[in-house]
Amino acid sequence: MKRLFYVVDRIDDVQDISDDLHARGIRDSRFHIVSRDEAGLYTHRLHRASILDRTDLARFVERGMLIGLVLALSFILPAMLWSGIQWPTLAWVALAAFAVMAGGWLGGFGGISSENYRIRRFHGEIEAGKYLVMVDVPRKFAVEIEQEMLENHPEAVLKGEGSSVNNPFAGSDGRVHII
């Protein structure tokens, strides 16, 4: 899926965009709005972005789980093979699973407190009272949706495109950084 990022000034325009996208068959689960005006979104019955879209929770949990896996492979696997401790294999697997889950849990603490890396570049506009509209569309329909938005809603400015899939290796700038 491709994610299109639009910035809109007025909530009434966002309502019109929402109605048009729903008429086009795009469900609420593929259409998210980030705004400082939470009450306005509620009043207009607009689908606001979830905690997973607004924070880096999912990305940091994924990172934590990967770190937990690396630690499990680095310490628990060698301990199982060469320590001489005679635990059942299931106990070693449970210990490794615990390391992976603990890494994800600890990673979540960092992720819940940081803004999503995909919307961080729009922070100033959101704080200025504008609305960020994120639309997830299949790649083959992206150009079609962009054209319809341009024709029907010139007030919505296309500010970027990206993927709707989380990337645990993406940095704060959105680029992939392995090291």
Side-chain angles (χ1 to χ4, degrees), residues 4-21:
L4 306 174
F5 298 94
Y6 290 94
V7 174
V8 183
D9 292 332
R10 298 179 7 182
I11 196 164
D12 292 331
D13 295 333
V14 175
Q15 179 70 55
D16 294 340
I17 291 169
S18 174
D19 293 342
D20 284 353
L21 289 173

Side-chain angles (χ1 to χ4, degrees), residues 52 54-68 100-118 120 166-172:
L52 296 175
R54 290 181 284 128
T55 67
D56 257 348
L57 178 65
R59 185 169 68 110
F60 275 59
V61 166
E62 290 168 352
R63 280 183 175 181
M65 291 178 82
L66 288 171
I67 291 169
V100 171
M101 292 298 148
W105 181 68
L106 291 171
F109 287 118
I112 196 74
S113 63
S114 63
E115 189 172 37
N116 190 297
Y117 71 100
R118 289 190 210 106
R120 191 170 295 140
N166 249 355
N167 184 348
F169 300 112
S172 60

